[in-house]
């Protein structure tokens, strides 16, 4: 795989002309800005604050609205273990906010993904032209991402995403 300089994520997403596909495959992430959100979610009886104007949500939701307003299909598929981890349940409880902003989200139990060839890392596939891999440490923290325009890697990511998407359940039809 040929690795290139990793572009700024927001610029990459804004560059999409017709599709931005995101595949998430971890059961837990330890991204710093979510630590307080998870604690508040626990304290609120596992109810998540999803005010689209909050400091937490506004930047992402504004970006999604901007991109989808150009006609770009933003789709996210999440593979998760059962029973769902606390983190996955936290993510599920806030997903309606991104759906309302224009993302289409589906969920696939890991047990249904056993026959699929999946890349080793979460990724964003932009217009079948570029892949940004999100890498994480063993503890779930962010590591340096990777970026490629290698057509074989793009083909693997597209095929993987499509297979997951076709097996997955739409967000509004699943309870975790």
């Amino acid at each position: 795989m040929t690795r290139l300089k990793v572009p700024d994520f927001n610029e990459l997403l804004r560059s999409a002309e017709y599709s931005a596909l995101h595949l998430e495959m971890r059961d837990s992430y330890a991204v710093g800005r979510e630590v307080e959100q998870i604690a508040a979610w626990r304290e609120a009886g596992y109810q998540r604050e999803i005010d689209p104007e909050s400091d937490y949500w506004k930047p992402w939701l504004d970006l999604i609205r901007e991109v989808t307003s150009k006609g770009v299909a933003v789709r996210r598929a999440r593979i998760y273990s059962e029973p769902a981890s606390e983190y996955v349940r936290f993510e599920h409880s806030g997903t309606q906010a991104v759906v309302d902003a224009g993302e289409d989200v589906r969920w696939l139990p890991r047990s249904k993904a056993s026959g699929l060839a999946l890349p080793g890392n979460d990724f964003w596939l932009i217009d079948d032209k570029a892949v940004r891999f999100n890498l994480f440490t063993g503890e779930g923290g962010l590591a340096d991402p990777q970026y490629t325009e290698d057509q074989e890697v793009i083909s693997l990511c597209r095929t993987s995403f499509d297979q997951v998407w076709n097996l997955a359940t739409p967000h509004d039809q699943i309870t975790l």
Side-chain angles (χ1 to χ4, degrees), residues 25-58:
M25 299 180 283
R26 294 179 57 96
D27 286 319
S28 179
Y29 297 84
V31 179
R33 69 188 199 99
E34 291 180 333
V35 172
E36 289 179 19
Q37 291 287 316
I38 292 172
W41 172 73
R42 280 187 204 115
E43 289 176 21
Y46 302 101
Q47 297 296 314
R48 193 159 175 197
E49 177 275 311
I50 56 173
D51 175 7
E53 296 301 315
S54 70
D55 291 343
Y56 179 84
W57 286 106
K58 188 169 176 38

Side-chain angles (χ1 to χ4, degrees), residues 94-111:
T95 297
Q96 192 59 49
V98 298
V99 169
D100 291 345
E103 278 193 53
D104 193 357
V105 179
R106 292 188 181 183
W107 300 81
L108 182 67
R110 192 170 310 281
S111 62

Side-chain angles (χ1 to χ4, degrees), residues 22-92:
H22 185 37
L23 182 60
E24 295 179 336
M25 299 180 283
R26 294 179 57 96
D27 286 319
S28 179
Y29 297 84
V31 179
R33 69 188 199 99
E34 291 180 333
V35 172
E36 289 179 19
Q37 291 287 316
I38 292 172
W41 172 73
R42 280 187 204 115
E43 289 176 21
Y46 302 101
Q47 297 296 314
R48 193 159 175 197
E49 177 275 311
I50 56 173
D51 175 7
E53 296 301 315
S54 70
D55 291 343
Y56 179 84
W57 286 106
K58 188 169 176 38
W60 180 252
L61 300 181
D62 284 352
L63 179 60
I64 293 303
R65 285 186 203 102
E66 176 186 340
V67 171
T68 58
S69 73
K70 299 185 315 181
V72 175
V74 178
R75 296 189 292 161
R76 180 187 308 248
R78 291 184 172 136
I79 297 174
Y80 67 97
S81 297
E82 294 178 295
S85 68
E86 180 183 62
Y87 183 87
V88 167
R89 287 179 293 142
F90 164 76
E91 280 293 299
H92 182 269

